[in-house]
Amino acid sequence: MIDHPKTTLEQWLVLQTVVEAGSFSRAAEQLARSQSSVSYALQNLQERLGLELLHIVGRKAELTAAGQLLLNQAAPLVQSLRQLEARARSMSAGIRASLSLCVDCMFPKPLLFQALRRFQQQWPETQVHVSEILRSESQREQLRAEADLLLLAEPPGCQLRGNLLLELDFIAVAAADHPLCLLPGPVSPAQLASYSLVSITDRQHQRTELRRQRAVWSFSTADAAIEAISHGVGYGWLPRFLVAPFLASGELQALPLSSQASRKTPIYLSFGDDALSYDPAVAGLAAIIQQVVADAKNSSQPDVSGLFTQP
């Protein structure tokens, strides 16, 4: 037999409003109800619980100890109900309940999270589902175009329209005690070829590299690649901002290459479909990301400056 609740969320909402407003009359105004209706709801709530939840101190309604304890537990439920109803209103008004964002794993996390935070503040009823992919997966992801918005290292194909957002600065690094770091003078391409390359790639490309039997150690995450390089497995090309702490500590060193000391990797912002550029929520997130990147380019703060090179 189902044990049905004896109280309702509406009753708890009335109690919370009375406590916050400080009186029955002000609570009635906020709830657009009569004062007698508010009083009845609270009286009914207390009768069903068999507990006194409120008492009047002077002219102010205050919680009893039991009322405080129970309202603390009920408050998250009331808030969840408010969010649920707000989301329903947004959906009925045509506002998206969610959208999907596909991001290259090398995109600077400080900028990504700053953009998501701003979007959350401006579009609280729209959830963002973020998926990270490796650069080698970019073209396949574009062909599928499953995401509403994409931040990828490949230029947009014929099906996608996008804009160059930023360029990341990649440098070749190795462990401080790696033989490449002990060579006198600039490191030549021939010297590089004598040592294993640590790369970040997806499983399909890993199988391709295995068939070619190249001297490549491939990993599917940047953290694993950095760990491998730090342990002397090989050298690798990684974003300068990502390895900056390891360069500062001396654990890794930038290789003094005789040519092409750095590589520029572009990140493009594109919509999964041209029509999505007219979707208020998707276009809103795109605008926020562009603004966050623009602010970072003009910032002198150490946590965001130097993340990338300007296009």
Side-chain angles (χ1 to χ4, degrees), residues 56-67:
I56 306 301
V57 179
R59 294 184 177 182
K60 187 175 181 181
E62 293 187 356
L63 289 168
T64 63

Side-chain angles (χ1 to χ4, degrees), residues 16-306:
Q16 185 180 57
T17 306
V18 168
V19 173
E20 291 174 350
S23 71
F24 284 62
S25 58
R26 284 196 291 268
E29 291 177 4
Q30 294 181 18
L31 294 170
R33 298 172 62 166
S34 66
Q35 186 170 337
S36 61
S37 173
V38 170
S39 299
Y40 175 78
L42 292 181
Q43 180 182 349
N44 189 255
L45 174 62
Q46 294 179 102
E47 288 177 353
R48 292 188 179 188
L49 293 174
L51 288 170
E52 183 183 14
L53 304 178
L54 278 173
H55 57 257
I56 306 301
V57 179
R59 294 184 177 182
K60 187 175 181 181
E62 293 187 356
L63 289 168
T64 63
Q68 183 68 65
L69 178 64
L70 294 176
L71 184 58
N72 286 343
Q73 290 185 268
L77 299 176
V78 174
Q79 181 61 23
S80 295
L81 179 62
R82 283 172 168 165
Q83 292 175 348
L84 177 64
E85 293 179 345
R87 180 159 297 172
R89 290 193 298 270
S90 298
M91 292 174 68
S92 66
I95 298 176
R96 275 174 167 260
S98 65
L99 62 85
S100 56
L101 172 65
C102 182
V103 184
D104 187 287
C105 67
M106 293 301 175
F107 187 86
K109 296 299 187 297
L111 302 186
L112 175 62
F113 295 137
Q114 186 178 348
L116 292 177
R117 177 58 178 160
R118 288 190 190 179
F119 182 81
Q120 183 185 50
Q121 293 171 342
Q122 296 181 27
W123 297 80
E125 307 308 325
T126 302
Q127 295 180 344
V128 180
H129 301 289
V130 181
S131 60
E132 282 192 312
I133 66 168
L134 299 171
R135 195 187 333 170
S136 55
E137 298 175 297
S138 293
Q139 192 61 44
R140 297 199 302 276
E141 184 65 28
Q142 285 190 1
L143 291 176
R144 289 198 301 266
E146 294 176 344
D148 298 312
L149 195 64
L150 305 98
L151 304 177
L152 301 181
E154 292 289 338
C158 59
Q159 295 180 341
L160 301 177
R161 182 178 303 171
N163 297 308
L164 179 61
L165 184 63
L166 55 87
E167 286 186 323
L168 298 176
D169 190 16
F170 279 65
I171 59 173
V173 296
D177 57 354
H178 191 278
L180 283 171
C181 293
L182 305 178
L183 293 174
V187 178
S188 68
Q191 290 172 316
L192 275 181
S194 300
Y195 295 92
S196 296
L197 170 66
V198 173
S199 70
I200 305 171
T201 188
D202 64 282
R203 294 186 65 181
Q204 180 172 323
H205 278 71
Q206 284 179 333
R207 289 191 291 268
T208 301
E209 298 293 350
L210 184 62
R211 288 196 298 269
R212 292 177 180 174
Q213 296 184 338
R214 295 177 57 188
V216 176
W217 291 75
S218 57
F219 298 86
S220 58
T221 67
D223 289 342
I226 293 175
E227 189 76 12
I229 294 171
S230 298
H231 282 80
V233 171
Y235 75 96
W237 289 87
L238 293 170
R240 186 186 298 273
F241 79 88
L242 200 58
V243 296
F246 301 92
L247 296 175
S249 68
E251 188 174 353
L252 297 180
Q253 288 187 13
L255 296 178
L257 303 183
S258 59
S259 61
Q260 196 181 15
S262 66
R263 298 175 178 176
K264 311 301 179 187
T265 296
I267 298 291
Y268 293 86
L269 183 151
S270 55
F271 295 94
D273 184 274
D274 283 345
L276 290 170
S277 62
Y278 300 101
D279 184 291
V282 179
L285 178 57
I288 289 173
I289 292 172
Q290 291 172 315
Q291 187 59 57
V292 165
V293 171
D295 291 345
K297 289 178 179 179
N298 298 323
S299 175
S300 59
Q301 298 178 13
D303 58 336
V304 293
S305 62

